């Protein structure tokens, strides 16, 4: 039987856990050790989702009621692109002052009988005589870091410098504002948390941060108790149009890079990790305090059920790890999006907004349409307009599939985005080209340097990477244009060293005359399966690892981290059907590509899209990617998430890819109609 509990860290998770344990076990001795004073809170507001609030209500109605009374509810999101403002509804969440939340939880824990020790720095190992020792001392946990090998701790860093601020400027929605400067782009995340008070998180990319001079520390930045006043003043000027004459406020506010914390084991002996000490997820998914409070609920319940602390720790970790992992997997692409947002601000505002909303797999296409159909319609119309066409007169309700939009490729106007590839070993390439045109392909690529009589469909050549430059490339480009190069997509993170190398390779190919690139997965085991099989896999690389933490902002010689460890992206868990219907004039798969490699479909697809988008954005090359066999047969509702037509449609509309390549058809389907 356990009877003595020591909690290191008097943040929301530690305090709430103390109250819940005392409520369930009034005979237990619970001590909370917090190094700060009771009213010494960093930051401004924190956010809870509606689901988290429901869990709080079920576990502790009294505390929940106090939090609700002190919170504000926000329902809308507003995206302030430099050229337009877009509003998105249906995102209910609650926000509350961090200091107010701590005060409530301090009072609630004390009223339940927990003993709170403020201004007490607990040295690592000093409380190990307790039956249960809870490390709730945050992402920088000194307790955990005293024995990281026992927990299997990894700590990595994001690339973007950010600063946590506040303002008295009025905001009525979760607002994302983007501003352009002579040095680059800055973004602000703003959400109200009390009457007349708003949290503002500002971030930028490392190059802009350095070019603007904000990487140089000031006297205030070096003072642990102060804020970086020089940056505060400059940022207030940059966001003046959004602040309505108000200033940004600091609270020990300094530039930082996000710490990505993971632990292979959440407990060791009588010690257990809680909240940020166990895991972190990027603030752009609003998850830190939410996850920590939910951890406290689960750990308190496990300890109440089991007299053996080690068994309770194991049950707590089993319950929480999958949910935490899913949140971290959503947070990873969200963090990447914010690290690179400046590269997308050239997009039409509506497309930029849809790109933002689909940066993780948390929302399906149908879910997006239910919440804000007008915004989706605007993005699709911007996509069609950019391709030189508008919705067809008399077309059936609903958007045309993205693959049906035309594309100007050099001087050649493609009627649609569907590509077929004729293999080099083909005995009659002219016949293969005619067949591809009859099936509706907008572009046919020939492997190898071959010429054909003038066909009725656009024809180009695709070269292997080793033939992507020099005399061979120039000779083939003169015969058949446009010229594509086929480049293997690395099985690694798009923003790590392998992604850097891929982008550099494509940039060199573009300089030598290539207009496009066909990204194909690295060689991997493959299987043959029937077209349209529910187990068809998407192409693309699996995620790799990034290991260099880099140096954080604020260092006079360092820059924000450019490399991080990447855990990969897990499968989608969405349930809404995708777009399309059996009557839609979508094309069948095209000829010549290998069977998709084995692997989780959504994970491999999202990983491939990461490489494709980076290459497309940074090199200017037109990007074609392979898609699963039978993708056009994967009709709405036939998968656990968005159907493959939907995934491909979104990738095109949001500008992640330009063209799609799939395998030879085995059934007859209507071809994509030529635009106009």
């Amino acid at each position: 039987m356990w009877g003595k509990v020591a909690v290191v860290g008097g943040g929301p998770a530690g305090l709430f856990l103390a109250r819940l344990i005392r409520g369930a076990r009034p005979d237990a001795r619970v001590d909370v050790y917090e190094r700060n004073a009771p009213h010494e809170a960093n930051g401004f507001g924190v956010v809870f989702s509606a689901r988290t609030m429901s869990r709080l209500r079920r576990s502790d109605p009294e505390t929940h009621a106090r939090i609700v009374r002190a919170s504000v509810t926000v329902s809308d999101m507003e995206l302030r692109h430099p050229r337009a403002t877009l509003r998105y509804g249906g995102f209910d969440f609650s926000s509350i002052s961090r200091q107010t939340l701590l005060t409530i939880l301090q009072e609630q824990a004390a009223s339940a009988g927990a003993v709170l020790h403020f201004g007490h720095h607990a040295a690592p190992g000093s409380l190990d005589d307790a039956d249960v020792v809870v490390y709730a001392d945050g992402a920088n946990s000194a307790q955990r870091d005293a024995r990281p090998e026992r927990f299997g701790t990894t700590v990595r860093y994001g690339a973007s410098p950010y600063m946590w601020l506040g303002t008295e400027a009025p905001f009525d929605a979760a607002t994302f504002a983007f501003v352009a400067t002579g040095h680059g782009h800055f973004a602000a995340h703003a959400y109200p948390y009390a009457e007349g008070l708003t949290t503002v998180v500002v971030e930028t990319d490392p190059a802009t941060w350095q070019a603007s001079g904000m990487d140089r520390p000031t006297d205030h930045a070096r003072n642990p108790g102060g804020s970086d006043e020089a940056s505060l003043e400059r940022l207030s000027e940059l966001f003046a149009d959004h602040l309505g004459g108000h200033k940004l406020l600091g609270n020990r506010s300094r530039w930082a890079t996000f710490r990505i914390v993971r632990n292979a084991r959440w407990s060791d002996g009588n010690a257990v990790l809680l909240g940020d000490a166990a895991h972190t997820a990027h603030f752009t998914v609003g998850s830190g305090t939410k996850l920590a409070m939910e951890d406290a609920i689960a750990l308190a319940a496990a300890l109440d059920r089991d007299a053996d602390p080690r068994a309770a720790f194991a049950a707590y970790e089993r319950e929480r790890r999958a949910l935490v992992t899913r949140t971290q997997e959503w947070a990873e692409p969200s963090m990447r999006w914010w690290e690179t947002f400046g590269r997308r601000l050239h997009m039409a505002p509506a497309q930029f907004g849809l790109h933002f909303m689909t940066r993780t797999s948390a929302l399906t296409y149908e879910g997006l349409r239910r919440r804000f159909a007008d915004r989706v319609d605007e993005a699709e119309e911007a996509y069609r307009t950019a391709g030189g066409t508008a919705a067809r007169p008399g077309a059936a309700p609903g958007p045309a599939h993205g693959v049906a939009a035309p594309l100007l490729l050099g001087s050649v106007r493609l009627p649609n985005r569907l590509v077929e590839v004729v293999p080099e070993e083909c005995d009659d390439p002219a016949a293969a080209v005619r067949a591809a045109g009859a099936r509706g392909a907008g572009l046919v690529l020939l492997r190898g340097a071959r010429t054909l009589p003038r066909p009725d469909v656009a024809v180009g050549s695709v070269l292997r990477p080793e033939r992507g430059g020099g005399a061979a490339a120039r000779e083939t480009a003169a015969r058949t244009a446009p010229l594509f190069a086929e480049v293997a997509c690395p099985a690694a993170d798009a923003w790590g060293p392998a992604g850097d190398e891929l982008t550099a390779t494509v940039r060199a190919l573009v300089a030598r005359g290539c207009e496009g690139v066909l990204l194909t997965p690295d060689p991997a085991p493959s299987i043959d399966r029937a077209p349209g099989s529910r187990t068809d896999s998407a192409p693309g690389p699996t995620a790799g690892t990034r290991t260099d933490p880099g140096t954080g902002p604020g260092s006079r010689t360092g820059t924000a981290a450019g490399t991080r460890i990447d855990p990969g992206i897990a499968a989608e868990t969405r349930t809404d059907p995708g777009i399309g219907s059996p009557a839609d004039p979508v094309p069948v798969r095209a000829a010549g590509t290998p069977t998709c490699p084995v692997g989780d479909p959504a994970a491999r697809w999202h990983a491939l899209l990461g490489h494709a988008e980076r290459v497309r954005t940074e090199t200017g090359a037109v990007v074609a990617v392979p898609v699963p066999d039978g993708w056009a047969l994967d009709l709405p509702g036939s998968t656990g998430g968005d159907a493959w037509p939907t995934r491909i449609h979104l990738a095109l509309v949001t500008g992640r890819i330009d063209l799609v390549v799939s395998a030879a058809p085995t059934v007859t389907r209507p071809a994509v109609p030529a635009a106009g």
Side-chain angles (χ1 to χ4, degrees), residues 648-661:
I648 294 166
H649 175 79
L650 279 175
L652 289 164
V653 170
T654 56
R656 291 174 167 96
I657 60 175
D658 296 291
L659 298 163
V660 298
V661 185

Side-chain angles (χ1 to χ4, degrees), residues 512-603:
R512 294 169 186 159
C514 284
E515 295 203 31
V517 60
L518 171 57
L519 291 183
T520 55
D522 265 341
S526 62
I527 59 175
D528 294 323
R529 55 173 68 92
S533 165
R534 297 286 74 77
T535 59
D536 279 356
S537 298
T542 55
T545 58
R546 297 173 296 178
T547 57
D548 294 346
T551 54
S555 166
R556 197 172 279 277
T557 58
T559 63
T563 53
R564 292 83 57 195
I565 293 178
D566 183 38
I569 303 171
E572 293 174 289
T573 56
R574 303 174 292 175
T575 56
D576 293 12
I579 62 168
S581 70
D584 285 345
V586 295
V588 294
R589 50 200 180 97
T593 51
T595 304
C596 296
V598 177
D600 176 76

Side-chain angles (χ1 to χ4, degrees), residues 51-52 70 107 127 137 166 188 216 239 301 323 361 430 504 575 615 669:
R51 181 174 298 178
T52 299
E107 293 172 355
L127 302 174
D137 50 341
R216 292 185 284 276
F239 287 95
L323 295 170
S361 60
T575 56
V615 165
R669 294 278 291 172

